[in-house]
Amino acid sequence: MKRPAARPTGSGGPLGIICGGGDFPVQVAEAAQAAGRDVLLIGLQGSADPGIEAFPHVWAHVGEVGKVFKALGEAGAQDLILVGSVRRPAAKDVKLDWVGMKSVASLGRLLSGGDDQVLAGLITFLEEHGYLVLGIPDVAPDLLVRPGPLGRSKPDKAALSDVAVARKVLEVLGPFDVGQAAVVADGRVLAVEAAEGTDSMLRRVAKLRAQKRLRGEGGCLVKMAKSGQDLRVDLPAIGPKTVEGAVEAKLSGIAVEAGRAIATDTAALVKTADKAGLYIYGFGSGGGVP
Amino acid sequence: MKRPAARPTGSGGPLGIICGGGDFPVQVAEAAQAAGRDVLLIGLQGSADPGIEAFPHVWAHVGEVGKVFKALGEAGAQDLILVGSVRRPAAKDVKLDWVGMKSVASLGRLLSGGDDQVLAGLITFLEEHGYLVLGIPDVAPDLLVRPGPLGRSKPDKAALSDVAVARKVLEVLGPFDVGQAAVVADGRVLAVEAAEGTDSMLRRVAKLRAQKRLRGEGGCLVKMAKSGQDLRVDLPAIGPKTVEGAVEAKLSGIAVEAGRAIATDTAALVKTADKAGLYIYGFGSGGGVP
C-alpha cells in the first residue's frame, strides 16, 4: 500500500469529495474551492453531515455505485478524494443499484480485513474505474500540521522525551494495522489505541487518573501515520475534541507528525489548547524540528 | 533485568511470602507447604486479602521495613517471594519505621518508572539485605500453565493464526514496559493492554462489540511475559475472572505462554471455560506445541 513515488496530483478540474462523517469534508471542500476548483460532494447516507448541503452535492447509500459514477460524470469530475470517518454501515444505509450489483463481489471483499485494507481496496476499485484518487497533501495542504508548536505552549525536554517513546511504540506497531495513537507520561506507556479510537483511549486515561491508578503527571498523546501508509486515506487527525480529551486526561500536550497529520478546525483547536496550557506540536518532517 | 543464567533455587527452608492482593498468595502458600516448606506470609496493608490469616502471618504497612525484616529473621526465612497485585499505596497504608526511614531514598527511587523498574528495584533492595528472591517456577511450578489445551476446547487453525498475530504484537512491545496482553480477531488487533489492566481491556472489547463497532467474531486474548522479563515478578496470570471477561467480549479463547504464565484457581477457570466453549491454551515452551 505504498504510494507510488511519482504520482500525478490531479487534473486541477472538478473534484469529487466522498464524504464520511464529521465537519472535515466541508473544510476540504472550502480549501479546494479557495484553490479554484469546482467541487461535488458525495454524502454517504448514515455517515456524512448535513453541512455538506452548502455545496454542490448528492447523497448516496453505500452500494449506489452507478448513481455516484453518473453524478461524477455529469460534474466532469475525474479526481476524487475520500474524507471523513465511515462506520461500518447499518443495513438501512446500504442500497445496491445496478452498477453496485455488478461490483458486489469486489465490494464484498472490501468488508473483511483491517481498515487499511478496506480503504486500499476502495481506492483500487475507484482507480480501476478510471478515477484518480488524491490525498489531503494534494488538495488542501494547508490542513496539514506544520513543524513546531501550533499554539502558545511548547513541549519541554521531558515532554519531547515522552514524545520520542510514543513514536517508537507506534513505529513498532506500524506493520499491524493497529491504531495510530499512544499516550506516554514520564517514559511510561499509559495507553495504546487499537479499535477503540483516540477519544475513547483518552477517556480511559482520564478515568485511570481519576481513580489514582497512575503514577506521574502530564504526558503526551502522539498520533502518527503507520509506516508505509497511503497518505490518501485515514491520515491521523486532531481537532478541538482531541484537545478536550487530552485536557480531561491531564496531559501536557499533543504531538503529531508534521506534514502527515491533519488539524481540523485549527482556530478552535489552538484556542482550547492555549486556554488549558497544552502544547500542540508537529514533529519530524525534516525542518530541523526534532 | 535479565535473570542470571544459573541461580540458586533457595535454601528449602522457611519461605517469606510478601503478599499483595487477590487469592494467589494463599495458593502459593499452600503449594509451598505441600512441598514441605514452612511459610511466613507478610500481608501488605491495603493490598493483601484477609485470607492470608489462615497461615503464619504478619501485617505490615508499606515502609515498615524493620518490622518485616524482624519477622523474617524470627521465622528463619532467608528466601522470599513477591506475590499478588500491589496498587500504588494510599497515604494511610504507608508507615515508615526506623529501618524504613534509613531506606527511604532507595525506596523513593522505586516509586518512579514503570512497573518493571519498581519491582526490579525492590528485588535489588531485598537482595542487598541478604535475602534470596525466588519466583513461582522455583516455589510452585504446578501453578504454571502447561503446554496444550487446559480444558475441553482446542484452538482451531484460524484461532492459532490470531494467537500468532497477538504474540508478534506483544513481542515488538516487549522493550516498552507496556501491558502484557492483546486481543486479536480475524487477524485484526482489537485491543492492546497498557496501564488499564487485562480485565478493563476485555470490558472495552465487550463494549465495542455491543456497539457493533467491530467487524468479525471470536478472537483470542493472549497474555505474555515481556521478553527479558524477570520471571520472579509479575508473571502474566489468568483466572476465572479473565475467562468471564473473555466470554463477555465474545472471544473464542485465551492463550498464554506455557511455563511462563500462571493459572490461578485452575479448577474454576477450566469449568467456566468449558461451559462457555472457550479454549485455554498454553503455547510455545518447546514441547512440540505451536
Side-chain angles (χ1 to χ4, degrees):
Chain A
M1 198 167 163
K2 294 234 184 250
R3 184 177 176 176
R7 212 171 50 76
T9 53
S11 61
L15 177 70
I17 304 178
I18 300 185
C19 304
D23 55 7
F24 194 56
V26 164
Q27 294 179 49
V28 172
E30 282 167 356
Q33 281 188 335
R37 297 187 82 146
D38 289 333
V39 295
L40 174 68
L41 279 63
I42 317 282
L44 292 178
Q45 293 281 7
S47 290
D49 190 274
I52 65 162
E53 299 190 347
F55 298 83
H57 70 279
V58 293
W59 286 96
H61 291 82
V62 171
E64 288 187 303
V65 182
K67 180 177 181 183
V68 171
F69 285 177
K70 184 159 173 279
L72 290 169
E74 286 169 3
Q78 289 292 319
D79 298 348
L80 291 181
I81 187 165
L82 316 175
V83 191
S85 56
V86 179
R87 286 200 169 192
R88 187 182 175 173
K92 72 172 169 56
D93 296 323
V94 178
K95 197 163 129 184
L96 289 169
D97 63 15
W98 177 237
V99 184
M101 291 285 277
K102 286 197 297 177
S103 318
V104 76
S106 332
L107 291 173
R109 273 198 300 277
L110 301 184
L111 290 175
S112 53
D115 292 343
D116 273 9
Q117 290 152 304
V118 173
L119 291 163
L122 184 55
I123 288 179
T124 305
F125 177 80
L126 293 167
E127 295 196 328
E128 281 169 4
H129 285 79
Y131 296 95
L132 180 66
V133 180
L134 301 175
I136 299 294
D138 308 309
V139 168
D142 286 350
L143 298 175
L144 297 171
V145 173
R146 278 187 288 260
L150 224 76
R152 276 203 303 269
S153 294
K154 292 180 181 136
D156 60 14
K157 208 178 146 193
L160 287 174
S161 154
D162 282 345
V163 170
V165 171
R167 285 175 66 175
K168 276 188 212 138
V169 167
L170 296 173
E171 275 160 21
V172 301
L173 287 174
F176 294 101
D177 194 8
V178 190
Q180 308 176 307
V183 175
V184 171
D186 290 338
R188 189 174 177 222
V189 183
L190 302 186
V192 176
E193 178 187 334
E196 73 274 25
T198 305
D199 295 334
S200 166
M201 178 182 66
L202 289 174
R203 281 196 297 274
R204 174 161 92 244
V205 174
K207 202 171 152 192
L208 288 169
R209 284 212 149 134
Q211 294 168 341
K212 300 196 189 303
R213 283 180 55 195
L214 299 180
R215 277 184 298 272
E217 294 185 347
C220 66
L221 165 69
V222 173
K223 291 195 78 166
M224 246 171 91
K226 288 163 230 175
S227 53
Q229 180 172 336
D230 187 326
L231 296 184
R232 291 173 294 172
V233 293
D234 201 25
L235 270 188
I238 56 171
K241 203 173 162 191
T242 322
V243 178
E244 285 160 25
V247 172
E248 288 290 312
K250 298 196 195 327
L251 303 185
S252 315
I254 299 174
V256 295
E257 195 174 4
R260 288 164 61 95
I262 294 159
T264 69
D265 203 351
T266 311
L269 179 154
V270 168
K271 197 176 162 193
T272 310
D274 280 348
K275 199 175 154 194
L278 255 74
Y279 66 82
I280 310 288
Y281 187 72
F283 59 75
S285 212
V289 174
Chain B
M1 197 166 166
K2 295 236 181 247
R3 184 176 178 180
R7 211 171 51 77
T9 52
S11 63
L15 177 72
I17 304 178
I18 300 185
C19 303
D23 54 6
F24 194 56
V26 163
Q27 295 178 48
V28 172
E30 283 167 355
Q33 282 187 336
R37 298 186 83 146
D38 288 333
V39 296
L40 174 69
L41 279 63
I42 317 283
L44 292 178
Q45 293 280 7
S47 291
D49 190 274
I52 66 162
E53 299 190 346
F55 300 83
H57 69 279
V58 294
W59 286 96
H61 292 81
V62 171
E64 289 189 305
V65 182
K67 180 177 181 184
V68 171
F69 286 177
K70 185 161 174 279
L72 290 169
E74 286 169 3
Q78 289 292 317
D79 299 347
L80 292 182
I81 187 166
L82 317 176
V83 190
S85 56
V86 179
R87 285 199 169 193
R88 186 182 175 171
K92 70 171 171 53
D93 296 322
V94 177
K95 198 163 131 183
L96 289 168
D97 63 14
W98 176 236
V99 184
M101 291 285 278
K102 285 197 298 177
S103 317
V104 78
S106 332
L107 290 173
R109 272 198 301 278
L110 301 184
L111 289 176
S112 54
D115 291 344
D116 273 8
Q117 289 152 305
V118 173
L119 291 162
L122 184 55
I123 288 179
T124 305
F125 177 80
L126 292 167
E127 295 195 328
E128 280 169 2
H129 285 80
Y131 295 96
L132 180 67
V133 180
L134 301 174
I136 299 295
D138 308 309
V139 168
D142 287 350
L143 297 176
L144 297 172
V145 174
R146 278 187 288 261
L150 224 75
R152 276 203 302 270
S153 295
K154 290 178 182 139
D156 60 15
K157 208 177 145 194
L160 287 175
S161 154
D162 282 345
V163 170
V165 171
R167 285 174 68 175
K168 276 188 213 140
V169 167
L170 296 172
E171 275 160 19
V172 301
L173 287 174
F176 294 100
D177 194 8
V178 191
Q180 307 175 307
V183 174
V184 172
D186 290 337
R188 190 174 176 221
V189 183
L190 303 186
V192 176
E193 178 187 334
E196 74 274 24
T198 306
D199 296 334
S200 166
M201 178 183 66
L202 289 174
R203 280 195 298 273
R204 175 161 90 242
V205 174
K207 203 172 151 192
L208 288 170
R209 284 211 149 134
Q211 295 168 341
K212 301 196 189 303
R213 283 180 55 194
L214 299 180
R215 276 184 297 271
E217 294 185 348
C220 65
L221 165 69
V222 173
K223 292 194 78 166
M224 248 171 91
K226 287 163 232 177
S227 54
Q229 180 172 336
D230 188 326
L231 296 184
R232 292 172 295 174
V233 294
D234 200 23
L235 268 188
I238 56 171
K241 203 173 161 190
T242 322
V243 178
E244 284 159 27
V247 172
E248 287 290 313
K250 299 196 193 328
L251 303 185
S252 315
I254 299 174
V256 294
E257 194 174 5
R260 287 164 62 95
I262 295 158
T264 68
D265 203 349
T266 311
L269 179 154
V270 168
K271 197 177 160 192
T272 310
D274 280 348
K275 200 176 153 194
L278 255 74
Y279 66 82
I280 310 288
Y281 187 73
F283 60 76
S285 212
V289 174

